[in-house]
Amino acid sequence: MHIDLKNNPLKGIIPPMATMLKDDSELDHQSASRLIAHLLKGGVHGLFILGTTGECTNIPYHLRKELIQLTCREVNGRVPVLVGVTDTSLSESLVLGQAAADVGADAVVAAPPYYFGLGENELIAYFTRLADALPLPLYLYNMPSHTKTMLTQKAVVELSEHPNILGLKDSSGNAVYFNAMLYAFKDRPDFTLLVGPEEMMASTVLMGGHGGVSGGANLFPGLYVDLYAAAERGDLKEVARLQQMVMEISSSIYALGSYGSSFLKGLKAAMAVLGIGNGYLSSPLTSFGEAQLKQVEKNLKGLAAYRAYA
């Protein structure tokens, strides 16, 4: 039974769930179940699997399908489950979309095909074909740093008219772009606008955005749920207090090392300290070594969020 997101627009905190792995060929089912329970206990409003934080492009296809099945079974309709189907091949995205529909997922999420940059007309044509053929609703995913392609405002507005395209997750980190989207859709409350960078989540909600796909919710889901709620009700004093905790996580956990994957390394190491998973990253990424792990543990236990939400 799928949750009706067309008549109940998605909003709130939808964590991009980290993928729990034993190694490159095996999911860590026990840790994945623990993580899902941790997120739901924290009050999140949905789950997004196989996104950037879920190492989507590095996970073998058989494990992607296994993770979709596990997540839908564990969630059991309590919140919407969104599945990342980003691929360079339209047919592979459709295969994943069908696999998600078959086990009860509620929607899929797709960024532009990466490697070759796409023109605006190509983007519109691609997402139209995808939305036409998918068995589930689609959320667009703007991730230009990784795909080399920016979803333009014109493309998003045109694609929003498709009955199977329900919203946009923007991870560009560009506040001007997101504010332009808020203006463009000011008369379309049915079209969901979510922001990726958690550092921006509260400010975008204060401006009328619908929530965030906040990676730090893997650590402290209650913090991000509380911050979203404070922003939604316009409690600026509480927003400022909780935002400090979010920024402290960003500077203390995500910024260790100079890797393109520093955010993921720090996040998964911190999750391991909290007893969720072993910190393993899918190849070709590598996990932090012992010295860095000890630094993450020290930094984590010094956080105000750790004291308040762990």
Side-chain angles (χ1 to χ4, degrees):
M1 188 72 177
H2 300 290
I3 294 173
D4 181 8
L5 295 172
K6 292 186 178 182
N7 293 305
N8 299 283
L10 185 65
K11 61 181 183 176
I13 298 298
I14 299 90
M17 198 174 87
T19 300
M20 299 288 96
L21 298 163
K22 288 186 176 180
D23 53 36
D24 285 341
S25 61
E26 187 176 359
L27 290 179
D28 184 342
H29 283 236
Q30 186 176 29
S31 293
S33 296
R34 187 179 299 126
L35 174 57
I36 291 166
H38 171 65
L39 292 167
L40 294 177
K41 184 180 178 182
V44 302
H45 305 90
L47 293 182
F48 170 35
I49 61 173
L50 297 173
T52 304
T53 303
E55 302 168 69
C56 56
T57 57
N58 298 352
I59 305 296
Y61 284 91
H62 73 282
L63 292 188
R64 298 189 204 191
K65 293 174 183 176
E66 190 177 322
L67 177 64
I68 296 166
Q69 187 170 39
L70 181 155
T71 304
C72 290
R73 183 179 67 245
E74 294 281 334
V75 172
N76 194 27
R78 287 176 284 177
V79 297
V81 173
L82 281 62
V83 176
V85 298
T86 301
D87 204 284
T88 52
S89 163
L90 182 131
S91 63
E92 294 291 357
S93 291
L94 292 175
V95 168
L96 274 182
Q98 187 61 58
D102 288 345
V103 295
D106 301 289
V108 298
V109 183
Y114 45 92
Y115 197 81
F116 286 110
L118 299 183
E120 188 172 66
N121 291 337
E122 290 174 314
L123 278 173
I124 293 169
Y126 172 78
F127 280 113
T128 298
R129 287 183 65 197
L130 190 60
D132 282 346
L134 280 167
L136 291 173
L138 170 66
Y139 291 85
L140 307 174
Y141 184 2
N142 188 40
M143 189 58 160
S145 63
H146 288 46
T147 64
K148 301 195 302 183
T149 300
M150 185 81 168
L151 272 169
T152 64
Q153 181 178 328
K154 177 188 172 186
V156 175
V157 169
E158 185 168 333
L159 288 166
S160 73
E161 297 300 323
H162 195 292
N164 205 35
I165 296 178
L166 303 188
L168 169 73
K169 180 212 170 186
D170 174 42
S171 290
S172 68
N174 185 329
V176 174
Y177 173 89
F178 198 83
N179 283 338
M181 287 297 177
L182 290 172
Y183 180 75
F185 289 98
K186 65 184 186 300
D187 299 321
R188 286 281 310 277
D190 60 304
F191 193 78
T192 294
L193 294 172
L194 301 170
V195 72
E198 59 205 66
E199 299 86 349
M200 297 174 60
M201 186 272 292
S203 61
T204 63
V205 172
L206 286 166
M207 293 295 292
H210 299 111
V213 185
S214 305
N218 286 281
L219 297 170
F220 307 116
L223 167 60
Y224 295 86
V225 169
D226 287 351
L227 179 56
Y228 165 76
E232 191 179 37
R233 66 177 182 265
D235 186 345
L236 298 183
K237 184 176 180 180
E238 183 68 353
V239 166
R241 184 181 77 84
L242 297 173
Q243 181 72 18
Q244 287 298 312
M245 294 189 194
V246 169
M247 297 311 297
E248 195 178 23
I249 293 167
S250 181
S251 63
S252 298
I253 303 299
Y254 302 159
L256 296 176
S258 55
Y259 305 91
S261 59
S262 286
F263 158 76
L264 264 175
K265 294 180 194 298
L267 176 69
K268 277 201 156 178
M271 291 174 69
V273 172
L274 292 176
I276 304 171
N278 57 11
Y280 189 89
L281 271 69
S282 185
S283 179
L285 301 178
T286 56
S287 307
F288 275 155
E290 186 176 346
Q292 291 163 313
L293 186 59
K294 286 182 178 178
Q295 186 63 53
V296 169
E297 181 174 10
K298 179 182 176 182
N299 291 0
L300 180 71
K301 292 182 176 178
L303 295 174
Y306 181 83
R307 296 189 293 273
Y309 288 96

